[in-house]
Amino acid sequence: MKLPAYTRAQQLPDILARRIAILDGAMGTMIQRFKLTEAQYRGEGVRAPFASQYERFKDFHKDVKGNNELLSLTRPDVISDIHERYLAAGADLIETNTFGATTVAQEDYEMAHLAREMNLESARLARAACDKYSTPDKPRFVAGALGPTPKTASISPDVNDPGARNVDFEALRAAYYEQTEALVEGGADVILVETIFDTLNAKAALFAVDEYFEASGQRLPILISGTVTDASGRILSGQTVTAFWHSVRHAQPLAIGLNCALGAALMRPYIQELNRVAPDTFISCYPNAGLPNPMSDTGFDETPADTSKLLHEFAAEGLVNIVGGCCGTTPEHIAAIGQAVAPLATRAVPARTAFYPAAA
């Protein structure tokens, strides 16, 4: 099937065909470094030129500390600072601060009514940062991030009732449609469906994205990234990497990949598997900085030198087109990764397959 031409990020397929692109690193562990208080999550101390939202949220009836997506409204200075650090480190793509910015996820904080605004403002912040750092030779791209939500459509939350579900496909579809619409309105160039541990959740997201594309006339590149949860080589809902790819390939993504849960060393065989089964699309890989370590400054073991060495090996083996970092990675990790893979060739993909159509 021939896809319509991309209406945004038209240069990205050619960039991936020429060189390895760099995705940014963790948002959550970077936010943790600021050690924000409850009052600061509500907007206290926001720096110019951003306007204060403290009066709006200071009396909110529920604790909001830990709701990182709220910071796009209350502490945009913090989010912009993180974006700019990653861009200064050499990132080609930066993710919006929207991993949990769906009505489904925000129900935990009783802030579902703010989900659309969170996505819109998050995309605007990332857009402004990318525009500041973009040059004709190195354009930067906003990846609108759709996270998995804390609920699963295919797994029971009750061990005594295998048929029980705490969310359904329609609720997920509606949440992801709203999120996609706001991200594109705010300036996203790419849609990133990431950290997928339940393929049915991902299918709801991809359905909503396609529905939005059809309604709006927009067509953005889609990146899909699954999460292998343990040494079994399966995502949480039970599929192998190969089965996962065949479940989502109908979306004809620009790239398929893996992120989170594992460090690069443990992720290698699954990236090799993707390389074998998905020859007609690009491959991304953004692992955690090794295993969790509460004694570490970032909460994870690997230094920038460790992670970049491993991703250099992936690139040298011809496995990847996009590399970056997930939990525990920092701008220093991203800079080291960029330097490590810069001399190496990007993974070869047949030119102009259906998975990355020509620009308009």
Side-chain angles (χ1 to χ4, degrees):
M1 183 180 79
K2 181 175 174 57
L3 286 175
Y6 291 146
T7 56
R8 298 189 186 181
Q10 292 96 336
Q11 316 101 303
L12 188 56
D14 289 332
I15 289 171
L16 298 183
R18 292 196 315 268
R19 65 174 176 85
I20 297 172
I22 306 302
L23 183 67
D24 64 1
M27 176 62 75
T29 48
M30 286 295 292
I31 288 172
Q32 289 172 17
R33 288 182 156 195
F34 285 83
K35 302 187 186 310
L36 299 175
T37 64
E38 175 69 25
Q40 288 170 322
Y41 263 86
R42 293 169 184 257
E44 183 182 78
V46 67
R47 299 189 301 273
F50 298 104
S52 174
Q53 295 274 341
Y54 186 57
E55 289 300 315
R56 179 182 179 187
F57 292 106
K58 69 174 184 177
D59 296 322
F60 189 76
H61 63 280
K62 192 175 177 102
D63 286 352
V64 299
K65 185 177 179 181
N67 188 359
N68 291 343
E69 292 73 23
L70 178 63
L71 296 175
S72 293
L73 307 182
T74 59
R75 291 302 305 264
D77 53 326
V78 169
I79 303 305
S80 290
D81 180 75
I82 293 169
H83 285 327
E84 292 198 15
R85 291 191 199 189
Y86 281 124
L87 290 164
D92 296 291
L93 301 101
I94 58 168
E95 298 180 51
T96 54
N97 178 40
T98 54
F99 185 84
T102 56
T103 52
V104 173
Q106 286 297 318
E107 285 173 0
D108 290 349
Y109 293 96
E110 298 180 16
M111 286 187 161
H113 62 290
L114 296 174
R116 190 183 195 284
E117 185 182 1
M118 289 175 180
N119 285 283
L120 185 62
E121 293 306 317
S122 294
R124 286 173 174 168
L125 291 173
R127 175 80 274 147
C130 281
D131 290 347
K132 179 177 177 179
Y133 278 82
S134 286
T135 66
D137 293 335
K138 191 176 174 67
R140 312 300 180 99
F141 301 97
V142 176
L146 278 62
T149 84
K151 297 182 179 181
T152 68
S154 63
I155 302 173
S156 172
D158 182 356
V159 295
N160 297 310
D161 183 2
R165 297 292 184 269
N166 56 11
V167 72
D168 60 30
F169 187 94
E170 174 55 25
L172 290 167
R173 183 211 61 79
Y176 283 127
Y177 188 98
E178 177 185 68
Q179 184 173 36
T180 301
E181 182 178 51
L183 287 170
V184 175
E185 183 180 333
D189 300 300
V190 175
I191 298 298
L192 171 59
V193 183
E194 67 165 348
T195 321
I196 297 163
F197 58 80
D198 185 332
T199 306
L200 190 54
N201 286 40
K203 281 178 172 287
L206 294 169
F207 185 94
V209 169
D210 188 64
E211 187 180 31
Y212 172 74
F213 286 169
E214 184 173 350
S216 67
Q218 297 280 0
R219 175 66 63 170
L220 280 60
I222 298 173
L223 312 181
I224 300 175
S225 187
T227 296
V228 173
T229 52
D230 56 38
S232 72
R234 297 173 182 269
I235 66 171
L236 189 63
S237 55
Q239 288 184 307
T240 64
V241 168
T242 298
F244 169 67
W245 166 236
H246 286 291
S247 293
V248 299
R249 74 190 304 273
H250 67 278
Q252 296 183 291
L254 179 64
I256 183 73
L258 298 174
N259 75 291
C260 205
L262 304 176
L266 294 175
M267 198 178 280
R268 185 195 300 265
Y270 312 120
I271 291 292
Q272 290 170 329
E273 184 177 347
L274 270 182
N275 177 61
R276 290 192 303 272
V277 301
D280 46 3
T281 191
F282 296 115
I283 289 186
S284 66
C285 177
Y286 52 114
N288 288 351
L291 298 175
N293 177 2
M295 302 301 291
S296 165
D297 180 48
T298 64
F300 287 79
D301 271 333
E302 288 181 2
T303 65
D306 297 328
T307 306
S308 61
K309 178 179 181 294
L310 289 164
L311 288 176
H312 175 275
E313 293 173 4
F314 286 25
E317 195 175 333
L319 299 176
V320 289
N321 305 101
I322 303 172
V323 292
C326 203
C327 303
T329 56
T330 65
E332 292 74 25
H333 285 79
I334 298 309
I337 290 166
Q339 292 165 9
V341 303
L344 301 174
T346 193
R347 172 179 171 272
V349 176
R352 297 299 178 211
T353 67
F355 290 94
Y356 56 104

